[in-house]
Amino acid sequence: MTTFLRLWAGQSVSLVGSALTSFALGVWVYQRTGSVTGLGLVYLLVFLPAILVSPFTGALADRLDRRVPLIAAATGGILCTLALAALAATDQLRPWHVYLTTAVSSVLGALQLPAFGATVGLLVPQRHLGRANGLVMLAQSVAQIIGPLAGGLLIGALGLRTLILADCASFVLALLSVLTVRIPRPPRRPAADRGGEAPADPRSAGAQARRWIAARPGLVALLAFYAVLNFAVGFVDVLITPLVLGFAGTDGLGTVLAVGGIGMVVGSVVMTLWGGPRHRVHGVLGFSAVLGAALTVGALRASVVWVAAAAFGFLCCSALINASNRSLWQAKVDPELQGRVIALENMVATVPLPLAYLLAGPVTDHVMTPLVSGGGGAAHLAAALVGDRPGAPMAALLLLCGLVVVAAAGAGYLHPRLRRVDTELPDALPAPSDPAPPHPRAGRASGRA
């Protein structure tokens, strides 16, 4: 774990720096334009470019020495932050500059994610994959908490340019930390084991990854389940803020978000110390059922304490689910194919998020509001469950999302191929008792967790 820990430490610093800058840039765009649409465009550009280029970046991660995409991603991040800092220093920064650099950063993230994800299995023994991914989730959790809390304070005290330069420095530290470790190349499969499969090619990478996953029904079911889960989570991301503001104000919202962030940190620490269940699919399905139950319960009462407790359970389970899911894919996918497959898995799992962001408002206004405010049986049921209060349509929609997640987890356990995916699919990584021999060739890599 020593090499991984050195790599992880540098990436953690970079994540915190980027979280501060991302929050500050979002605030700056909103203050400059006064438009919620402009702020929403920033969030959309975080996801959309990455989704579009993921099939190509996954192939690059497999085709090239993995240090190439990782170094390119880190170097691109340095250049983007330097450009923003220069524009801010000369008072030339405009919202379209933020949109452009956000899109570029999204592409760089899509370049980095499959390369880094495919590298973890080469650095960490299989028995420690859960712990390693718990550490990755811990870094993301801390960044998620520090970004909004510290970003709002520091942008006024230090200014936007200083925060951007701090992010640039964090990129440099991440790059330096990675340049000091050695990352082995994935072992090449014999030609007879390829089954006629062509080498990684950016033009056909999506088709190659789809064929590989389609031949394994358990992973297809896991991918479908994760898409449903993220679709429900997307509604939560959008609706939690107006829901809490409707009965508690900004102080109550801050409490809910802070307690939820602590829950995510706790879940990450638990995963780091525990390593997750032996059958990782239970970590995905079991904790998803608990997550859905927390979401359902949290929608029942307009109480800061009640909703904060639900947010704690929701985000604690989220960390455990994500770490278990990552470990499962890293363990089952051949290292030579992981770039392509992880890129496709991430793309399919991410697409439902912006879709839910776009649908949350219309569904609340045009479906749930008439349903809850009508005089039929649905209105009486909604009143009995979430009460007759401001924000009742949003609470009813979140309750419905929670029930959908619980039902999806139950259906996952009833699906025999998904339930047995850990035992039916052979591990691509060597077992703990059978460590892989050191590979004669090694390279250096750079990237952000």
Side-chain angles (χ1 to χ4, degrees):
M1 294 282 287
T2 303
T3 299
F4 170 77
L5 289 173
R6 289 165 68 187
L7 178 63
W8 170 81
Q11 309 314 301
S12 300
V13 173
S14 183
L15 277 175
V16 172
S18 293
L20 290 171
T21 303
S22 297
F23 181 83
L25 287 173
V27 171
W28 182 88
V29 168
Y30 182 71
Q31 290 176 337
R32 190 65 179 262
T33 64
S35 170
V36 176
T37 301
L39 181 59
L41 182 58
V42 174
Y43 293 148
L44 182 62
L45 289 174
V46 170
F47 293 102
L48 186 58
I51 292 171
L52 296 177
V53 303
S54 286
F56 304 99
T57 57
L60 290 174
D62 287 335
R63 190 177 184 87
L64 303 174
D65 185 327
R66 282 181 182 146
R67 62 184 175 177
V68 175
L70 293 172
I71 290 174
T75 304
I78 293 172
L79 295 176
C80 282
T81 51
L82 285 176
L84 286 174
L87 290 168
T90 57
D91 199 26
Q92 298 297 313
L93 184 63
R94 301 292 182 268
W96 72 266
H97 295 135
V98 177
Y99 301 149
L100 178 61
T101 54
T102 299
V104 172
S105 297
S106 179
V107 172
L108 294 173
L111 186 66
Q112 178 269 342
L113 187 145
F116 182 81
T119 298
V120 173
L122 299 174
L123 298 177
V124 178
Q126 185 188 147
R127 65 183 181 276
H128 293 317
L129 278 178
R131 294 184 174 91
N133 286 303
L135 283 171
V136 173
M137 290 304 306
L138 178 61
Q140 295 178 356
S141 304
V142 171
Q144 181 173 320
I145 294 174
I146 292 179
L149 291 179
L153 298 174
L154 293 179
I155 190 174
L158 302 178
L160 181 62
R161 182 184 63 175
T162 303
L163 285 183
I164 295 173
L165 288 175
D167 189 18
C168 180
S170 73
F171 270 110
V172 173
L173 289 174
L175 181 59
L176 291 176
S177 71
V178 181
L179 291 175
T180 61
V181 302
R182 299 192 62 82
I183 301 175
R185 294 178 182 271
R188 304 288 294 179
R189 291 176 297 161
D193 294 343
R194 295 178 183 270
E197 177 187 307
D201 185 341
R203 295 169 296 181
S204 60
Q208 292 169 343
R210 285 195 299 271
R211 286 195 299 269
W212 191 91
I213 295 176
R216 293 154 179 83
L219 292 181
V220 174
L222 177 62
L223 203 56
F225 170 79
Y226 221 75
V228 172
L229 176 64
N230 275 351
F231 186 66
V233 169
F235 283 96
V236 180
D237 290 345
V238 174
L239 297 178
I240 187 64
T241 295
L243 176 68
V244 177
L245 287 176
F247 66 83
T250 55
D251 291 342
L253 177 62
T255 299
V256 169
L257 295 180
V259 172
I262 293 171
M264 194 170 185
V265 171
V266 170
S268 302
V269 172
V270 168
M271 191 69 181
T272 301
L273 298 175
W274 173 33
R278 186 167 65 91
H279 295 306
R280 297 181 177 97
V281 70
H282 296 316
V284 177
L285 297 178
F287 287 113
S288 291
V290 179
L291 179 149
L295 178 56
T296 301
V297 171
L300 295 177
R301 292 180 58 184
S303 162
V304 171
V305 174
W306 189 268
V307 176
F312 181 95
F314 181 93
L315 288 175
C316 179
C317 289
S318 178
L320 294 165
I321 294 164
N322 288 331
S324 297
N325 180 67
R326 289 179 180 182
S327 300
L328 195 154
W329 286 91
Q330 289 164 350
K332 298 302 178 182
V333 182
D334 190 281
E336 190 181 351
L337 302 172
Q338 280 194 15
R340 282 165 282 179
V341 174
I342 288 177
L344 179 61
E345 186 268 339
N346 182 68
M347 182 178 69
V348 173
T350 302
V351 165
L353 285 173
L355 182 60
Y357 295 165
L358 294 174
L359 291 176
V363 170
T364 300
D365 295 336
H366 303 298
V367 178
M368 300 306 297
T369 298
L371 193 67
V372 170
S373 60
H380 293 300
L381 178 61
L385 293 174
V386 301
D388 183 13
R389 55 183 167 99
M394 290 182 285
L397 180 54
L398 291 182
L399 186 148
L400 180 61
C401 288
L403 294 176
V404 167
V405 172
V406 173
Y413 272 117
L414 293 176
H415 193 295
R417 306 305 294 271
L418 177 55
R419 186 178 65 249
R420 298 196 294 262
V421 68
D422 278 288
T423 54
E424 286 189 349
L425 293 183
D427 287 338
L429 298 173
S433 59
D434 184 25
H439 198 276
R441 300 180 65 187
R444 299 180 185 269
S446 164
R448 303 173 65 195

